[in-house]
Amino acid sequence: MTGRVRLAYDRAVVSRARGARRAFGVIVLVIGVLLAGRVAWVAGAAAPGERTVSAQVAFLTSSLDGGAGPRMQALFPEGEFFLHVLTGLAAASEDSGLAREQLAAAMAPGVADRFGSGLTPEHGTFHAGWTLLLAVTIAELTDAPTDRNAVADRVPALLDALVESPTGVPASYPGGYWPCDAVVAGAAVARAAALLQNSTWLEDLAGWRDRLEGLLDPTHGLLPHRIDAAGSVLDPPRGSSQSIIQTFWPDLTSALDGAPDRGSWLAFREAFVVRVAGLVGVREHPVGTEGGGDVDSGPLLAGVSLSASAVTLAAARANGDAALAADLDREAELFGLPLQLAGERRYGFGAVPVGDGFLAWSRSVPAGAMDVPPGPRVLWVGLMLPGFLLAACGGLLLRPRPRS
């Protein structure tokens, strides 16, 4: 190879290397700008909240029509049931007919029989509490005699189970006792009592709550995750059940005391709500303790449960903690890979519709009014930093180098 040819070849190699470097720099710069811009847009926009629920319900409905119920049941013990109930609760304010359809589906033998039989109430406290909750929600919105009568028919067996339980926690399933299910049931009865103006039910609930509060954990003042039939604690307070308890505790305490229990919410927030890497999340185990995850919590990231964090959006709304609710809502929008097509909004590409159901229901929970001090907040500027760094790296790659 002659010197002239060699020189031309070397120049061509250098030119290609510079071109590749510039192309890579452009890609890195664009990715960085998009990442930082996405975080800035989510942080600056209004939290999605109720605005997106209708589109989420449209996706959930089409998913159920496409056989999502059995698919979710194969993944989670209550997958199909929750998909029906959560879709009904999220839809109730706009489509009572759809909510009734989902209540009927949740009561169908193929779904209800999974929770056992021969219990009081039939199919256990978990099934009875959530279905009463949906029935009450429908009746509150329609005020139709048939819906009110359906509520009146459901309450006695469930209330009897609560009142007659020595611990305040009747069986959720055969041999299984979860206080969070008793709280959902008690809150549903309290709302039914308000709807039907039945003061006797409230009097019974007051005595029941006294027994239930005998289970409060002395360290945090919160209910345990799971007990046995005698009331011995099998699992102490955990985020996945506390997020549900805190969602419904305001309904119960407002009905019995005339105001929500601010102390319970603050105790939960102190024990479970944390900021990690600039993000706000809910631990499965209290701060200062460690433990693994399971089917209730899902996988844990630095001790944080994604499922507990999603449901805490509902709890924050119910307790009037608008700042925490907005942060959790925006985080779902930032990391949930939202996609809206033909009026249907799904998250995570719609791969796990029951997760969409929990998010839609959480966003539909009415916002409570309670004055609470600020807690951990998302550091949105910090979350933009990786995008800024990538953009800066891309800019450096695009800077011309001096010719040698």
Side-chain angles (χ1 to χ4, degrees):
M1 182 181 293
T2 66
R4 184 175 296 177
V5 173
R6 178 69 184 183
L7 180 60
Y9 174 78
D10 288 345
R11 286 176 175 172
V13 170
V14 170
S15 177
R16 285 196 295 271
R18 286 175 176 164
R21 181 171 174 269
R22 283 195 295 270
F24 182 65
V26 168
I27 292 171
V28 172
L29 176 64
V30 170
I31 291 174
V33 169
L34 289 175
L35 285 176
R38 172 67 177 163
V39 174
W41 184 86
V42 170
E50 301 101 312
R51 294 185 294 112
T52 60
V53 172
S54 295
Q56 288 184 263
V57 169
F59 166 69
L60 292 168
T61 304
S62 65
S63 295
L64 283 164
D65 291 342
R71 286 193 291 109
M72 293 303 96
Q73 186 60 37
L75 296 176
F76 308 104
E78 302 98 1
E80 184 171 10
F81 174 81
F82 261 139
L83 191 54
H84 286 300
V85 169
L86 296 172
T87 299
L89 288 169
S93 63
E94 294 186 358
D95 191 342
S96 59
L98 176 59
R100 287 193 194 93
E101 290 175 10
Q102 299 309 316
L103 177 58
M107 295 296 300
V111 175
D113 289 349
R114 297 189 182 112
F115 302 101
S117 59
L119 302 172
T120 302
E122 186 71 7
H123 308 305
T125 305
F126 169 80
H127 183 273
W130 281 96
T131 52
L132 175 60
L133 179 70
L134 179 51
V136 171
T137 302
I138 294 168
E140 287 172 340
L141 292 163
T142 67
D143 203 33
T146 54
D147 293 330
R148 293 169 63 91
N149 291 338
V151 169
D153 290 342
R154 291 175 180 275
V155 168
L158 181 55
L159 182 56
D160 285 348
L162 295 172
V163 169
E164 292 172 7
S165 168
T167 63
V169 182
S172 296
Y173 323 109
Y177 302 84
W178 278 265
C180 67
D181 297 333
V183 171
V184 174
V189 172
R191 284 174 56 177
L195 173 72
L196 302 179
Q197 298 182 341
N198 191 317
S199 59
T200 301
W201 291 349
L202 290 179
E203 292 170 4
D204 290 341
L205 280 178
W208 161 76
R209 186 184 60 171
D210 290 342
R211 290 196 306 283
L212 187 69
E213 289 182 333
L215 298 172
L216 291 175
D217 149 71
T219 302
H220 305 289
L222 300 171
L223 289 170
H225 180 70
R226 187 167 60 100
I227 64 172
D228 64 16
S232 299
V233 175
L234 301 179
D235 291 305
R238 286 176 44 179
S240 53
S241 57
Q242 277 300 316
S243 58
I244 293 175
I245 289 170
Q246 297 302 323
T247 301
F248 294 102
W249 199 250
D251 285 336
L252 185 61
T253 55
S254 294
L256 297 179
D257 304 328
D261 181 359
R262 183 173 182 264
S264 179
W265 173 247
L266 294 178
F268 160 74
R269 209 175 64 178
E270 181 178 357
F272 289 96
V273 179
V274 294
R275 184 170 63 204
V276 178
L279 297 167
V280 170
V282 178
R283 290 179 54 85
E284 179 61 12
H285 304 280
V287 172
T289 62
E290 298 299 330
D294 57 18
V295 69
D296 291 324
S297 68
L300 305 184
L301 301 175
V304 170
S305 163
L306 298 183
S307 63
S309 299
V311 177
T312 297
L313 168 55
R317 288 179 60 85
N319 283 278
D321 196 333
L324 178 58
D327 276 350
L328 292 172
D329 207 345
R330 290 188 177 104
E331 285 182 344
E333 203 67 13
L334 180 62
F335 297 106
L337 304 175
L339 179 64
Q340 187 156 334
L341 295 171
E344 297 180 3
R345 191 171 187 84
R346 69 210 69 197
Y347 290 78
F349 305 107
V352 187
V354 72
D356 293 75
F358 272 106
L359 181 57
W361 163 66
S362 294
R363 286 173 166 167
S364 73
V365 169
M370 187 165 64
D371 181 26
V372 293
R377 299 298 308 276
V378 174
L379 296 178
W380 293 105
V381 174
L383 294 182
M384 289 188 273
L385 185 59
F388 290 146
L389 291 176
L390 276 177
C393 290
L396 290 173
L397 289 170
L398 291 174
R399 289 182 60 187
R401 289 186 174 180
R403 294 180 179 275
S404 57

